[in-house]
Amino acid sequence: MKRDWLTRLKYGTHEFFYTLMTFPRAWRFMRNHRLWRGLRQYGWVARGLVIVGIIVGLTMISEVVDWWDEHSNAPLSAMAIGSDSLLWQWLQEGYESLSDGVLNWVVLVLLEVVIYHFMRQTLKVVLDKDVEAAHTFKPFFQAQKRMIKVSLVAVTIQEVLVDLGDELLPGLINWWFALAVQSAVLGFAIADNYSEQFELGIRQSLRYFYRNYIGICLGLGLPLFLMLKVPVVGTVLGPLVTSVAAAIVLREKSDLHIVGYRRSAREQRRYDKREAKRQRKAVRKAARRARKQTV
């Protein structure tokens, strides 16, 4: 059933605040159920953390070199303390890097293995839903590819909408609009891990959340946006708590786990065409196999 814009606003506002209140529950849920158990099954987790460390290390080294070039003639006391110190420069540069949104998506892609694990473990508890051999390479590789694609789609949408806001909206309103856009796309990137568990494509997932649960995406994305501004602790714990909150709130508010995804008439036609094409291909393959056996 389609909702008018006023009804969508009312539901979206309720879902936004409901989702915000889910975060303390998600933190307790994560601790009580020890969702980090089983991470050792992913042999590539350590490699991912090494990659993160290398990137951060290279960034810090470049900052040290640039800072030293600018302050090599300054007194030692001025180099160690004050607004021009190296420590302050690191904190400021890190804050600005996260604020401009570039590292947000790098963090999500690099931490996908952990986001994937925490989402799966939460659904195992709240829905008794498990994926056989989910810790093996192939399911994770598919999830990692999907996160990269989702990130590219989300960044594109974000850039288009933020640029549009810059052109059409006055200063303060544009600032709030840009914050809402960045929060919504970040929330969608996490929520998509939920719809992925129910075999929705990326376009279906985007359409599903835009039509029905934009308030939940905002409620997930705003705390994540703020947590990603806290170096190390926030950048690691933020995506994990958000993935648990997404699984909990979508299990309570969404009917995806009950009735599945309901395709529109247009989507159904596309799906039928793809299925017919797949069946014709399977028939041709079976016919070729049969001819080879008779030769």
Side-chain angles (χ1 to χ4, degrees), residues 223-289:
L224 177 59
F225 179 81
L226 297 175
M227 284 187 283
L228 286 173
K229 292 181 179 295
V230 181
V232 184
V233 175
T235 52
V236 173
L237 287 181
L240 308 189
V241 178
T242 306
S243 66
V244 176
I248 292 174
V249 74
L250 287 170
R251 186 265 178 196
E252 294 173 351
K253 292 294 184 179
S254 166
D255 59 0
L256 198 57
H257 61 287
I258 301 173
V259 300
Y261 178 73
R262 287 165 287 189
R263 301 184 186 92
S264 65
R266 187 176 180 182
E267 287 180 292
Q268 188 62 47
R269 287 194 298 270
R270 288 179 179 174
Y271 176 79
D272 292 339
K273 287 181 180 178
R274 285 197 301 268
E275 285 299 305
K277 185 177 180 180
R278 192 175 296 125
Q279 289 178 7
R280 289 195 299 269
K281 189 175 180 180
V283 169
R284 288 196 299 268
K285 187 181 291 185
R288 285 197 299 269
R289 193 179 299 118

Side-chain angles (χ1 to χ4, degrees), residues 55-252:
I55 292 173
V56 173
L58 291 175
T59 303
M60 293 180 70
I61 289 171
S62 67
E63 292 296 330
V64 170
V65 172
D66 293 341
W67 177 86
W68 180 259
D69 288 340
E70 294 178 7
H71 302 86
S72 56
N73 296 323
L76 184 61
S77 59
M79 295 166 63
I81 60 175
S83 61
D84 216 23
S85 67
L86 177 59
L87 177 60
W88 177 254
Q89 292 293 324
W90 277 348
L91 293 175
Q92 190 176 36
E93 290 294 329
Y95 182 85
E96 290 174 356
S97 296
L98 287 175
S99 297
D100 65 18
V102 175
L103 287 185
N104 289 348
W105 300 103
V106 175
V107 167
L108 291 186
V109 170
L110 290 175
L111 289 180
E112 170 58 20
V113 60
V114 192
I115 295 170
Y116 169 80
H117 173 79
F118 274 67
M119 175 69 72
R120 186 172 62 87
Q121 289 294 96
T122 305
L123 291 180
K124 190 174 180 179
V125 175
V126 300
L127 285 179
D128 195 25
K129 178 179 175 59
D130 198 12
V131 179
E132 187 177 353
H135 62 281
T136 57
F137 180 75
K138 187 176 180 180
F140 162 73
F141 182 65
Q142 295 297 328
Q144 188 70 57
K145 284 200 306 182
R146 182 175 177 119
M147 176 58 85
I148 293 172
K149 292 178 182 178
V150 166
S151 298
L152 292 174
V153 170
V155 168
T156 302
I157 294 172
Q158 175 180 304
E159 290 301 314
V160 170
L161 292 178
V162 169
D163 289 346
L164 191 62
D166 288 338
E167 294 291 333
L168 301 177
L169 299 175
L172 184 59
I173 296 177
N174 180 50
W175 187 88
W176 284 105
F177 176 74
L179 177 63
V181 169
Q182 293 183 65
S183 299
V185 295
L186 278 173
F188 166 70
I190 298 296
D192 180 73
N193 284 267
Y194 183 87
S195 57
E196 180 185 6
Q197 302 299 315
F198 298 93
E199 301 180 352
L200 272 69
I202 294 175
R203 283 166 54 173
Q204 290 177 329
S205 178
L206 182 61
R207 189 179 295 111
Y208 181 74
F209 285 110
Y210 170 72
R211 288 178 177 174
N212 304 292
Y213 301 109
I214 190 69
I216 290 178
C217 290
L218 278 167
L220 293 172
L222 181 59
L224 177 59
F225 179 81
L226 297 175
M227 284 187 283
L228 286 173
K229 292 181 179 295
V230 181
V232 184
V233 175
T235 52
V236 173
L237 287 181
L240 308 189
V241 178
T242 306
S243 66
V244 176
I248 292 174
V249 74
L250 287 170
R251 186 265 178 196
E252 294 173 351

Side-chain angles (χ1 to χ4, degrees), residues 10-37:
K10 184 177 72 172
Y11 275 91
T13 303
H14 166 75
E15 290 162 355
F16 172 73
F17 287 106
Y18 187 90
T19 304
L20 290 181
M21 291 187 292
T22 304
F23 275 82
R25 294 167 52 202
W27 175 253
R28 293 192 299 270
F29 186 94
M30 188 170 69
R31 288 187 304 156
N32 293 341
H33 293 278
R34 298 175 178 267
L35 299 183
W36 54 84
R37 289 183 299 185

